[in-house]
Amino acid sequence: MNIPEELHYTREHEWILVEDDTGTVGVTDHAQKELGDVVFVELPQRGEEIGAGEPFGSIESVKAVSEIYSPVSGQILETNSALQETPDKINSDPYGDGWIVRLRLIDRSEIKGLLSAQDYEHYLKEELAK
Amino acid sequence: MKRTPLFSAHQELGARFIDFAGWEMPVQYESALQEHLVVRTHAGLFDVSHMGRIEIRGRNALSAVQKITCNDVNRLADGQAQYSALLFNEGTFVDDILVYRIDAEHLLICVNASNREKDYHWIVQHIGMEAEIRDFSDDYAQLALQGPLSQALLQKLVDVDLGQLKSYWFTFTKINGTRSMVSRTGYTGEDGFEIYPPSQEAEKIWKRLLATGTECELTPAGLAARNTLRLEARLALYGNDINETTTPWEAGLNWIVKLEKGEFIGKQALLRQKETGISRKLVGFEMVERGIARDHFPVYYRDRLVGHVTSGSFAPTLQKAIGLTYLPPAIANPGTEISIDIRGKRIKANVVPTPFYRRPVN
């Protein structure tokens, strides 16, 4: 399982890369495998404010739809418009070209509530064992 | 949960499983999208052993089947198959089925997995005194080899000339040394075959087919691809597009009803509905705005709730989101603008002609 060390994670299988007060958000390698081939991504509007744990968009695969939850509170700075044409980037490069939104963090202290790479790996093992 | 004779073969291939009508079935192997596309361009192999297989035997087998089905079995020659339905007195579907005529005293009925017990009891209840009825589903597996390269591939493993086996005909032949029924039928909108080997030989034949098919990109394919393939071809799914409340007229399956054939269960109700007219009709739609309509989503016409999506999905061959829904006949014509409630947002769609996909003629 690919779980980069430098990212923070949620139990809903999103990741966030924090650089100063900016966060880049996507879904994890595990999430994209569970979803299967992504064929459509619903993205939020730039400027929208989203609370921690709130859904801001959805990812649809051939067989299912899954909401994307924001790991932290923030304002949408940018969305990955390339996903409109090539949503499968979420499958092929979930931590890179498959990023979904960039947002401005409102409260940096929320990061402490997220899972580290180790925590997330541990969480996944427990989930898979169920 | 029940498992087919191929369960461990699916596990070895790394399949993901789902519960389908009480069966633990492969929903996809590597990628549902790829499996779908490979069936359209090359060939795919499906395990559909979960379907029910019921045989009707006896001197009156033909007239007995004639009584419980709406299509005309008298039009079948030995070795020919037919799409048909079992109907309630109300003219609504008990199930949609395939009838195979081995000879006038021996017919097979292939039924949906979800309806196997119901159908068996229905059949016994209505013609149990006229013919010998046996559910032999567990004795045999059922594999569907589908896609344009199916014939060339299967030909390598059988003695009969498959070029002579026309659509909706079947024969008995040896595959991998085992005598099996092979029919030119399927549920994908492509050319293809269904193979019915004895359960204990099924895994060997499955593996032999996959090994033989490597050179032509044959892929194992799961229920997810089966569903999107059948939807593009507008083949009805029992439980979604047809059920115990819908009739063949409403579902656009007029062609499987032969009123002139004589009496059959459900005929009187169908005659009455033909007289009064239908109040809803199953139609295809295509999303105009971005979004994917899924099963059960509400359907609106000018702010009025007019129905629900019976089947909805992204269509991999068409690269569009499509679906089926029942609409009042007045607004069921292609071009009508409707909208689908996708998680609280009304997204525009158009009624379109079906099938959504028709295979190229070669």
Side-chain angles (χ1 to χ4, degrees):
Chain A
M1 196 65 64
N2 182 9
I3 305 175
E5 196 59 38
E6 67 279 16
L7 306 177
H8 300 275
Y9 298 88
T10 70
R11 288 183 171 78
E12 285 74 42
H13 310 288
E14 288 89 12
W15 56 263
I16 182 168
L17 171 69
V18 180
E19 293 160 300
D20 301 326
D21 65 344
T22 305
T24 304
V25 177
V27 297
T28 66
D29 189 34
H30 171 78
Q32 68 81 14
K33 279 191 185 127
E34 283 295 312
L35 275 163
D37 307 287
V38 175
V39 293
F40 181 74
V41 185
E42 193 188 352
L43 297 167
Q45 295 295 320
R46 195 183 301 177
E48 252 180 74
E49 279 199 21
I50 292 143
E54 277 181 24
F56 64 77
S58 58
I59 300 180
E60 303 218 26
S61 66
V62 175
K63 55 186 203 296
V65 56
S66 169
E67 290 199 289
I68 323 162
Y69 299 92
S70 186
V72 296
S73 309
Q75 186 179 30
I76 303 291
L77 294 172
E78 195 183 352
T79 61
N80 185 358
S81 54
L83 295 179
Q84 306 268 8
E85 290 305 315
T86 50
D88 55 325
K89 284 200 159 80
I90 288 180
N91 295 116
S92 57
D93 192 8
Y95 299 114
D97 286 347
W99 68 275
I100 298 168
V101 295
R102 266 190 247 291
L103 42 79
R104 174 171 296 122
L105 272 54
I106 290 173
D107 179 2
R108 275 192 60 105
S109 70
E110 286 175 350
I111 303 295
K112 292 192 207 104
L114 299 173
L115 304 176
S116 68
Q118 276 171 331
D119 294 342
Y120 180 63
E121 189 176 359
H122 188 70
Y123 171 71
L124 271 188
K125 274 187 190 143
E126 281 181 354
E127 281 291 291
L128 295 174
K130 272 181 195 169
Chain B
M1 257 191 288
K2 285 179 275 187
R3 291 172 173 180
T4 77
L6 297 167
F7 182 80
S8 60
H10 301 317
Q11 273 187 320
E12 285 168 29
L13 288 165
R16 276 164 186 271
F17 293 89
I18 49 159
D19 175 358
F20 183 86
W23 291 82
E24 195 170 6
M25 296 298 293
V27 62
Q28 66 169 49
Y29 298 85
E30 289 285 309
S31 151
L33 196 67
Q34 279 312 310
E35 290 160 26
H36 177 115
L37 296 173
V38 171
V39 170
R40 289 271 182 255
T41 55
H42 298 76
L45 185 62
F46 301 80
D47 176 13
V48 292
S49 306
H50 60 311
M51 298 194 74
R53 293 162 288 276
I54 296 166
E55 68 172 7
I56 320 279
R57 275 179 188 267
R59 212 174 303 161
N60 300 318
L62 207 56
S63 61
V65 174
Q66 190 75 316
K67 187 169 117 184
I68 54 165
T69 60
C70 61
N71 207 335
D72 185 1
V73 290
N74 280 337
R75 297 187 185 197
L76 292 177
D78 291 354
Q80 201 176 7
Q82 175 182 76
Y83 182 53
S84 187
L86 306 173
L87 301 177
F88 289 106
N89 272 320
E90 293 73 23
T92 55
F93 290 97
V94 177
D95 200 3
D96 63 328
I97 60 172
L98 236 63
V99 178
Y100 294 83
R101 172 174 160 152
I102 293 174
D103 59 51
E105 300 189 358
H106 191 188
L107 291 97
L108 305 183
I109 296 183
C110 183
V111 308
N112 280 297
S114 53
N115 290 333
R116 184 170 144 188
E117 284 78 20
K118 177 180 82 173
D119 290 359
Y120 175 74
H121 292 299
W122 173 261
I123 294 168
V124 169
Q125 185 190 337
H126 289 90
I127 58 168
M129 302 297 281
E130 295 158 53
E132 197 184 313
I133 296 146
R134 191 167 72 98
D135 180 342
F136 70 109
S137 312
D138 293 335
D139 302 344
Y140 291 84
Q142 188 173 337
L143 316 185
L145 176 65
Q146 302 281 299
L149 302 185
S150 299
Q151 183 186 327
L153 199 165
L154 187 58
Q155 191 63 71
K156 294 178 186 167
L157 300 181
V158 298
D159 293 332
V160 294
D161 178 5
L162 293 174
Q164 299 298 315
L165 191 67
K166 285 182 266 176
S167 180
Y168 280 82
W169 286 75
F170 65 96
T171 188
F172 290 85
T173 181
K174 273 192 176 176
I175 302 184
N176 212 35
T178 303
R179 197 176 119 96
S180 302
M181 189 171 100
V182 173
S183 63
R184 195 152 201 160
T185 51
Y187 191 54
T188 59
E190 292 304 324
D191 183 21
F193 300 86
E194 288 178 290
I195 304 155
Y196 303 73
S199 293
Q200 66 275 15
E201 301 297 326
E203 187 170 342
K204 267 185 259 168
I205 291 176
W206 169 271
K207 287 182 173 167
R208 183 78 197 280
L209 278 163
L210 284 181
T212 309
T214 46
E215 58 207 76
C216 70
E217 290 188 42
L218 175 69
T219 179
L223 291 187
R226 183 167 156 88
N227 187 49
T228 49
L229 287 159
R230 71 91 196 167
L231 180 58
E232 286 183 342
R234 197 207 199 263
L235 298 169
L237 173 61
Y238 193 92
N240 281 46
D241 312 309
I242 56 175
N243 61 29
E244 300 191 351
T245 72
T246 54
T247 69
W249 303 147
E250 294 166 353
L253 290 172
N254 306 36
W255 65 278
I256 66 167
V257 178
K258 304 287 155 55
L259 292 170
E260 68 286 357
K261 78 171 192 175
E263 272 312 307
F264 61 89
I265 300 170
K267 179 179 172 180
Q268 293 310 316
L270 291 183
L271 282 171
R272 281 194 299 276
Q273 196 180 43
K274 202 175 180 180
E275 200 73 16
T276 58
I278 52 174
S279 60
R280 55 178 180 167
K281 195 179 159 189
L282 187 64
V283 299
F285 65 83
E286 187 178 291
M287 299 308 297
V288 177
E289 295 178 323
R290 293 174 56 81
I292 300 175
R294 302 280 179 182
D295 302 358
H296 316 304
F297 283 9
V299 178
Y300 288 85
Y301 175 71
R302 297 184 177 160
D303 287 333
R304 193 159 55 92
L305 179 68
V306 286
H308 290 86
V309 175
T310 56
S311 290
S313 175
F314 178 77
T317 315
L318 312 167
Q319 294 287 309
K320 283 176 190 167
I322 60 169
L324 296 172
T325 183
Y326 281 94
L327 289 180
I331 58 166
N333 292 323
T336 304
E337 197 178 282
I338 55 175
S339 64
I340 315 292
D341 183 334
I342 299 182
R343 293 180 290 282
K345 280 185 213 160
R346 302 273 174 86
I347 310 293
K348 275 185 201 159
N350 272 341
V351 176
V352 296
T354 52
F356 304 97
Y357 166 86
R358 213 186 284 271
R359 76 169 177 260
V361 218
N362 38 357

